[in-house]
């Protein structure tokens, strides 16, 4: 039991770190890592799970996802805008054509993923 909780705790902390790193970096998706962190913390640390679920940056979106498996329309719009801008800047800056193509593929994949997530009214 201790080993399992330790595994979930380490995975949760790594996911949280990657999710926070994904805020400024377009390659790393923030939302899946934060959702994974919440899942892992629920199984390893009540304190960290409560902290994440009540954190001002993530609480509303996490609770919407937990209860309704959907996100707010405004948050979805922000995700489109921020990820679109960050991918556009990255594609413009990167000199290698294969990296530009890869980034464009990731951007399209993220856009398609966001599109299929149900929306809640703001």
């Amino acid at each position: 039991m201790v080993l399992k909780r330790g595994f979930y705790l380490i995975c949760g902390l790594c996911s949280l770190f990657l999710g926070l790193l994904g805020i400024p970096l377009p390659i790393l998706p923030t939302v899946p890592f934060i959702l994974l962190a919440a899942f892992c913390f629920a199984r390893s640390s009540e304190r960290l799970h409560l902290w994440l679920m009540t954190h001002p940056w993530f609480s509303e979106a996490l609770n919407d996802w937990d209860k309704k498996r959907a996100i707010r329309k405004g948050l979805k719009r922000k995700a489109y805008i921020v990820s679109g801008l960050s991918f556009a800047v990255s594609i413009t800056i990167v000199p290698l054509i294969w990296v530009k193509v890869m980034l464009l593929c990731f951007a399209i994949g993220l856009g398609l993923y966001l599109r299929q997530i149900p929306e809640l009214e703001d």
Side-chain angles (χ1 to χ4, degrees):
M1 187 67 175
V2 173
L3 187 61
K4 189 176 178 181
R5 286 187 68 197
F7 173 76
Y8 278 122
L9 181 62
I10 290 169
C11 286
L13 291 171
C14 290
S15 296
L16 179 61
F17 174 73
L18 290 172
L20 292 174
L21 198 59
I23 293 171
L25 298 175
I27 287 288
L28 290 173
T30 300
V31 174
F33 285 118
I34 298 300
L35 289 173
L36 181 59
F39 174 84
C40 291
F41 289 157
R43 282 146 185 80
S44 63
S45 171
E46 241 180 82
R47 195 178 106 231
L48 285 173
H49 185 253
L50 181 63
W51 172 81
L52 189 60
M53 296 302 284
T54 58
H55 192 279
W57 290 359
F58 308 118
S59 64
E60 185 179 355
L62 283 172
N63 286 313
D64 286 343
W65 184 260
D66 188 39
K67 291 179 177 81
K68 303 168 188 159
R69 292 290 188 249
I71 61 174
R72 302 243 175 236
K73 194 179 268 189
L75 181 59
K76 195 173 188 178
R77 193 173 327 127
K78 286 178 192 172
Y80 278 127
I81 292 168
V82 170
S83 60
L85 287 173
S86 98
F87 273 109
V89 168
S90 297
I91 290 169
T92 304
I93 291 173
V94 170
L96 302 171
I97 193 74
W98 70 270
V99 177
K100 289 178 187 261
V101 171
M102 183 183 69
L103 287 170
L104 181 61
C105 290
F106 283 144
I108 291 169
L110 178 61
L112 292 173
Y113 174 74
L114 284 173
R115 187 171 175 213
Q116 62 90 27
I117 295 174
E119 292 179 357
L120 298 171
E121 292 299 319
D122 288 327

